[in-house]
Amino acid sequence: MLTIKRVPTLVSNYQEDVLEGNVMGCGRKCLGKCCMPVSVLPLYAFKNDDNEPIENDIQTLPEEECQMSFLNNLLLGLWEERMSQGLFRYDVTTCETKVIPGRCGFIAQLNEGRHLKKRPTEFCIDKVLQPFDENKFNFTKVGQEEVLFRFEPSTDYKPQYFSGMRVNGGISPSIVAINVSPIEYGHVLLIPRVLDCLPQRIDRDSFAIALHFAREVADPFFRVGYNSLGAFATINHLHFQAYYLSVPFPVEKAPIQKILARMGLGGAGVIVSKLLNYPVRGFAFEGGNGSTARDLSDAVVNSCISLQNKNIPFNILIAQCGKKIFLLPQGLEIGYCWEKVADEIIMNVGKGYNEEICYAEKQALGVVDQELLDTQVNPAVWEISGHIVLKRTKDYNDASEEYAWKLLSEVSLSEERFEEVKGYISEAAGLQAEEDKNINPEKEIPDSPGPQVASHMPPDCLVLQ
């Protein structure tokens, strides 16, 4: 069971309160254009060197060499400070967490508060690319008390921290803020260029910020996630999520087989593998020897842009301090008529023809097993990666590997569709087929190594097996 030191928590995040006093801007101290240009916020300036080779994994270093990074310490300290101020909608420290017995080691959490307090989705589910709508909830309406710090590139390639720095009126700052409906310890949002009001879509600069965030925190138990529209993003304002979990995600341990690669001089390049013995078909991107963060980022971004343009929803998990990135597509191909697809799915339900639309669309059509619907679990990036958030005590007590496998299998592409998507990724990222012939998927394959070093989280935050 997950236990954290208890603190009083109020069911409030101040988003609806008008702050009193003589303040500049609109008077709410929000993240909008009315208040940000006259605001003073903490600033963490990260080392901005995309051409630096990806170092050896932190998980391979001796424990005594894995010192807690300044950003890691800063984030945890500020997050706990907001917790003590009662800024979360519920007390996540009361949530129980367990590892489900079985080979995969799926992780179940009982979180009744998130179901009751989480913001509902406010857009259609059948389009990955949708324009930003200022009339719907977006992060410019969040109060500055939820902000931990700005996260922006350093001008001299050295990381620096300023406890208070006026926001430059000529730029749109990237913000790290608490998630007021947290899943786990240290759950935060990364909002790139908040004032630009970017819709939820991957672009080169924003993804680079997310990758730098994972690298700068430098804790293998801190992962960064992304949900596209159609893959259970609930807010159409560009953002990533991140939190700490003191055990490996099941997807991190899943066996993999190399299928694509792009090699440069001296063997540097990017390797793409497919997941094996896992309920969701997906891709794992890693840098080759001597490759840079930009090499890895470009391959993932080009792949995501291709999927977005083809209306294929997807989830991303940035793991192992930014050295391994999982791309987990779902799929409805562009050009499909929504009404036609609905008719065909309803007509062919039970015949195996309903595998090629995403889970959210299956829910809308009423073709998902009622037992799965009753659990009210939406398989977004954390669930697909193996951390399943349950809303009812009964479901938590009954959670099994069979249930988790059944739920996640509903999200997965068919084998045929997966091969199509692999072709899109290969073309978009300039990759060539390079399958590892030494692996036979029909035989027992050892798990991939998850993070092995000790977590920097407090001892009483660990998930007990």
Side-chain angles (χ1 to χ4, degrees), residues 422-438:
K422 183 179 80 171
Y424 300 150
I425 288 174
S426 176
E427 180 180 3
L431 302 165
Q432 291 79 43
E434 192 171 317
E435 187 169 333
D436 187 346
K437 302 295 185 181
N438 296 322

Side-chain angles (χ1 to χ4, degrees), residues 94-353:
T94 63
C95 296
E96 296 183 31
T97 296
K98 66 182 180 181
V99 176
I100 300 173
R103 173 178 175 173
C104 291
F106 293 113
I107 304 148
Q109 183 198 80
L110 177 60
N111 192 331
E112 297 168 299
R114 185 170 174 82
H115 167 58
L116 297 172
K117 302 295 180 180
K118 191 173 184 294
R119 190 177 302 279
T121 302
E122 297 182 305
F123 47 84
C124 60
I125 60 174
D126 60 326
K127 293 181 180 179
V128 175
L129 298 179
Q130 300 180 41
F132 179 85
D133 186 346
E134 64 179 8
N135 296 315
K136 292 183 168 60
F137 175 79
N138 62 79
F139 296 113
T140 65
K141 300 178 181 181
V142 168
Q144 292 182 19
E145 68 279 352
E146 297 177 19
V147 173
L148 302 185
F149 49 83
R150 293 154 54 195
F151 186 74
E152 297 173 25
S154 172
T155 56
D156 58 2
Y157 298 100
K158 294 180 181 179
Q160 299 180 70
Y161 177 69
F162 305 92
S163 59
M165 180 73 73
R166 182 169 293 279
V167 177
N168 186 331
I171 66 168
S172 179
S174 297
I175 296 294
V176 175
I178 60 171
N179 187 327
V180 296
S181 299
I183 290 176
E184 266 296 349
Y185 186 79
H187 195 165
V188 295
L189 302 171
L190 171 65
I191 310 162
R193 293 152 49 201
V194 62
L195 294 180
D196 288 348
C197 295
L198 303 170
Q200 185 74 346
R201 61 189 300 174
I202 291 293
D203 66 72
R204 202 167 306 281
D205 292 340
S206 298
F207 187 80
I209 292 173
L211 189 55
H212 277 293
F213 189 41
R215 287 165 59 83
E216 290 278 332
V217 172
D219 188 324
F221 294 95
F222 181 81
R223 291 84 165 187
V224 179
Y226 173 86
N227 301 312
S228 78
L229 302 188
F232 294 102
T234 56
I235 298 171
N236 187 19
H237 189 177
L238 181 58
H239 66 286
F240 297 81
Q241 300 186 52
Y243 62 69
Y244 295 84
L245 188 67
S246 62
V247 294
F249 274 87
V251 75
E252 293 180 285
K253 302 187 297 179
I256 58 176
Q257 179 181 17
K258 183 169 69 172
I259 55 174
L260 300 169
R262 185 185 68 213
M263 293 301 174
L265 296 175
V270 175
I271 297 169
V272 179
S273 304
K274 66 178 180 180
L275 299 175
L276 302 174
N277 298 343
Y278 196 71
V280 178
R281 294 181 176 90
F283 304 91
F285 288 71
E286 299 175 272
N289 292 331
S291 62
T292 67
R294 175 168 292 178
D295 294 331
L296 183 57
S297 179
D298 284 349
V300 175
V301 169
N302 290 337
S303 300
C304 292
I305 291 175
S306 176
L307 298 188
Q308 289 172 165
N309 291 338
K310 290 179 172 57
N311 203 34
I312 299 174
F314 57 89
N315 309 93
I316 300 172
L317 183 75
I318 302 176
Q320 297 182 13
C321 308
K323 299 174 181 66
K324 193 170 188 177
I325 301 172
F326 295 91
L327 176 57
L328 305 158
Q330 302 180 35
L332 177 68
E333 191 168 347
I334 193 168
Y336 278 26
C337 170
W338 173 238
E339 290 78 9
K340 179 181 178 182
V341 171
D343 291 341
E344 289 180 353
I345 293 303
I346 293 172
M347 182 172 60
N348 292 315
V349 64
K351 298 181 181 179
Y353 301 130

Side-chain angles (χ1 to χ4, degrees), residues 67-85:
Q67 300 299 318
M68 190 172 190
S69 74
F70 176 82
L71 181 57
N72 198 0
N73 188 48
L74 175 70
L75 189 154
L76 288 172
L78 294 176
W79 192 88
E80 289 180 348
E81 182 181 273
R82 300 307 189 275
M83 183 168 65
S84 69
Q85 294 170 357

